[in-house]
Structures are given as structure tokens and as C-alpha cells.
Amino acid sequence: MSDNELFREIDGEPMIAPKGMSLLLGVPLTDILAESARHNGQQWTLPAEWIKSGIRRSKEYQAATGRSDMHGALEYWAAREAK
């Protein structure tokens, strides 16, 4: 999986793509796309259960690697989900 499927840099800042959100949060890509479509491309707040799942996955990534960076987490979860 290439980085551009997971995030893009816009004005020098990393912006997470839907697939990247799916990996970081542990939420199916179809759910993220449906929620985004429901808000017609406007800014929206992540559901509380998605945030909890993302925190849980962040802690798991940190415990497994000793790292806390987004790019590393994307790589970690992409590799785990490819198995």
C-alpha cells in the first residue's frame, strides 16, 4: 500500500486519507466513507466509539514499537491488516 493511499501532504501538512483513518481508528473504510458522505464533505466530529478505538490502537502501536508517530502507526497497521 502506498503512502498516498493513506495520507497526502497539503501545504506541507499531512492530511489523512479515508484508508489511513480506517487503519488508525480500526473502523471499516465503508463506515468512514458513509459518514463522510452523510456530512456532504463538511467538517464533522468523529463518533465517540471511533475515538475510543483509535486511542486503543494508538496504545497498542506504542507498546509494540516504542514509537508514537502517525506515519509509523499507518505503516504498522497496514502491515498488520495485510496479514
Side-chain angles (χ1 to χ4, degrees), residues 1-82:
M1 181 172 308
S2 68
D3 284 348
N4 65 357
E5 293 176 27
L6 303 177
F7 72 93
R8 293 178 182 87
E9 288 206 14
I10 299 176
D11 296 328
E13 295 294 324
M15 302 301 283
I16 302 172
K19 179 61 180 171
M21 285 182 67
S22 173
L23 289 171
L24 292 176
L25 298 174
V27 174
L29 179 58
T30 54
D31 291 359
I32 290 172
L33 294 174
E35 188 69 10
S36 181
R38 192 169 75 79
H39 292 280
N40 296 317
Q42 298 298 311
Q43 186 175 11
W44 48 282
T45 303
L46 295 173
E49 62 270 13
W50 292 10
I51 294 170
K52 288 178 186 176
S53 177
I55 290 169
R56 199 168 38 252
R57 287 170 75 89
S58 175
K59 289 178 181 178
E60 182 178 335
Y61 162 68
Q62 290 174 27
T65 66
R67 296 171 57 186
S68 61
D69 61 298
M70 181 189 76
H71 191 261
L74 288 167
E75 290 174 339
Y76 176 83
W77 289 110
R80 292 280 308 259
E81 300 220 350

